[in-house]
Amino acid sequence: MDEFEAQNPGIKVELISGPYASTKEQVIAGAVAGTMPDVVGLDGAWVSDFVKQSSIANLSELMAQAGYDDSELASQIQLNGSTYMIPVVNFVYPVFVNLDLMEKAGVAAPPTTRTEFAEAATKMTDAENNVYGWVLPLSMEQPNGIQNDVMSWVWASGGSMMKDGQPDLTNEDVRSAMEYIKGLYDAGVIAPGSFSMKEQDKVEEFTNGRVGMMVDSLAHINLIRERNPDLNFAITALPAVDGYTGKRGLPYASWGIGISATSEHQAEAWKLVQFLMSAETNSKLSSIANAFPGNVNSTPDFVQTDELFGAAFEVFKTGYLANEFVGLPVAEELMRLFDEQFQLYLDGSQSLDDALNNAQTAWMENFQ
């Protein structure tokens, strides 16, 4: 903040920080009372409610007033065509591959297409020794597997689960991805226990060498290294539909930033946002957070010194950030509603048409 204040005489910044849980409580309380700070850290899951409450400002309007070129932003969280949150740093979810299991199975290289992934998962699976090609967490208690491990297959091939701001779960992109996962499930290449498995269970299975591949956050790289220093693994992009040549969507979570709708200093607040999103400052922030930048022209220091993060950064630069749950109303509940129907499809209790139609109907009740 000292650097920002030096560049902007007359603007003073009072920094208020705290752990995630207390920050969320403070921001929500401030939104209700109209005492939200001028510039506020945001989780994408809060955006929809804050926009409905008219608590956060329309950043598209502020960017236009400032003549800001938003082409350098890696992503923007929008509702009704307007931006309300800008991700400052991003924690992406590529594919982790156990290289020793891959070599043992005779797989020449990490898979890049769905066909190659299915073949690799089949070769890596050794059920007698409790080793499986892929791991899929679908716990309804913690349903983010639908976001990170299921819909990610849709986004990796440029697809979408939405249309004109409304759910579109019966489209061919979603159908294709669900059929593909069902094929892996029926083939027995997914680690047992998916329906009760959580993200931390998935990471444990991979860390202990019982799973060949998983979709996971880069935030877990150092945790995996600490728990199993001998694990030989690599990072690659999520495979796409065979023949797809476009950019691949990359699931992500982010720390974002917004501006209070009741702030009396919105122009000054925007100057701080612009400073944080500049290429130089954003490089520093992403390096500190061990995350990827919100500015497409920024490069964190660690990608030059860490081979795995460097590989992941290449995946990041050649794809695009994709998480359509960010900004949706009751996002976690939407995941849970889809999860319920998807599990019934996987275990053969209902058809794909019924699963998608039921999920579509349940979602639409939250978009009225």
Side-chain angles (χ1 to χ4, degrees):
M1 291 303 105
D2 291 341
E3 183 179 348
F4 170 76
E5 291 179 351
Q7 293 178 14
N8 296 273
I11 301 178
K12 297 296 182 182
V13 179
E14 179 185 355
L15 186 62
I16 303 171
S17 62
Y20 176 86
S22 61
T23 297
K24 180 179 180 181
E25 292 172 359
Q26 290 171 4
V27 171
I28 291 175
V32 173
T35 58
M36 183 183 286
D38 297 300
V39 180
V40 60
L42 293 172
D43 184 309
W46 310 342
V47 172
S48 179
D49 288 340
F50 286 166
V51 172
K52 288 179 181 178
Q53 297 169 10
S54 299
S55 298
I56 52 178
N58 184 326
L59 298 183
S60 294
E61 294 177 356
L62 294 178
M63 285 189 279
Q65 292 170 13
Y68 180 73
D69 178 12
D70 66 355
S71 64
E72 64 186 42
L73 299 178
S75 64
Q76 302 177 50
I77 306 307
Q78 298 187 328
L79 267 75
N80 303 319
S82 295
T83 297
Y84 289 91
M85 169 183 143
I86 296 174
V88 179
V89 294
N90 303 289
F91 303 90
V92 298
Y93 283 69
V95 174
F96 289 55
V97 182
N98 184 318
L99 295 176
D100 290 336
L101 286 181
M102 189 181 79
E103 182 180 2
K104 183 179 178 181
V107 179
T112 62
T113 67
R114 287 186 184 177
T115 295
E116 290 176 357
F117 186 92
E119 292 174 349
T122 300
K123 290 180 179 179
M124 290 184 189
T125 297
D126 181 3
E128 291 185 1
N129 290 303
N130 196 32
V131 175
Y132 294 86
W134 187 41
V135 61
L136 176 62
L138 292 176
S139 166
M140 282 192 277
E141 183 181 346
Q142 191 183 96
N144 60 345
I146 295 300
Q147 170 185 274
N148 302 327
D149 303 82
V150 175
M151 286 301 174
S152 53
W153 290 93
V154 177
W155 304 326
S157 299
S160 175
M161 64 181 199
M162 306 291 291
K163 183 177 181 180
D164 299 327
Q166 298 290 308
D168 186 26
L169 299 177
T170 60
N171 71 57
E172 185 54 36
D173 293 329
V174 177
R175 288 184 59 86
S176 171
M178 300 312 112
E179 286 177 328
Y180 177 74
I181 295 173
K182 169 70 166 169
L184 297 176
Y185 186 85
D186 290 344
V189 302
I190 298 177
S194 282
F195 294 176
S196 61
M197 186 177 291
K198 301 177 182 178
E199 181 169 294
Q200 59 264 37
D201 303 320
K202 168 182 73 175
V203 177
E204 182 178 351
E205 290 297 290
F206 183 83
T207 302
N208 291 328
R210 292 191 292 265
V211 168
M213 297 176 287
M214 73 168 176
V215 180
D216 193 38
S217 169
L218 289 181
H220 289 143
I221 283 183
N222 290 330
L223 174 67
I224 294 170
R225 286 168 165 167
E226 291 171 5
R227 291 186 176 178
N228 189 352
D230 297 326
L231 189 66
N232 182 23
F233 64 100
I235 300 295
T236 189
L238 199 73
V241 172
D242 296 39
Y244 178 74
T245 58
K247 285 192 172 185
R248 302 188 184 201
L250 191 62
Y252 75 102
S254 62
W255 171 64
I257 198 166
I259 293 175
S260 170
T262 58
S263 170
E264 297 178 358
H265 310 286
Q266 289 190 355
E268 292 83 358
W270 172 253
K271 287 185 177 181
L272 177 57
V273 173
Q274 188 169 342
F275 171 76
L276 295 175
M277 297 310 301
S278 66
E280 182 179 355
T281 303
N282 204 241
S283 293
K284 295 177 182 177
L285 289 172
S286 56
S287 297
I288 293 169
N290 235 20
F292 287 158
N295 185 310
V296 297
N297 298 315
S298 299
T299 302
D301 294 341
F302 57 76
V303 303
Q304 307 294 336
T305 58
D306 190 300
E307 183 178 350
L308 284 179
F309 280 106
F313 192 59
E314 288 303 312
V315 172
F316 172 73
K317 289 195 300 182
T318 56
Y320 66 94
L321 293 173
N323 185 344
E324 293 181 296
F325 285 99
V326 175
L328 293 187
V330 293
E332 184 172 306
E333 179 61 16
L334 296 180
M335 297 177 206
R336 187 172 289 109
L337 291 169
F338 191 94
D339 199 349
E340 180 180 4
Q341 300 302 325
F342 190 52
Q343 288 192 23
L344 293 173
Y345 168 55
L346 289 180
D347 71 13
S349 297
Q350 67 177 350
S351 67
L352 177 58
D353 284 338
D354 286 343
L356 295 180
N357 285 325
N358 290 341
Q360 175 76 13
T361 299
W363 278 30
M364 286 303 298
E365 292 178 2
N366 293 281
F367 281 79
Q368 302 304 323

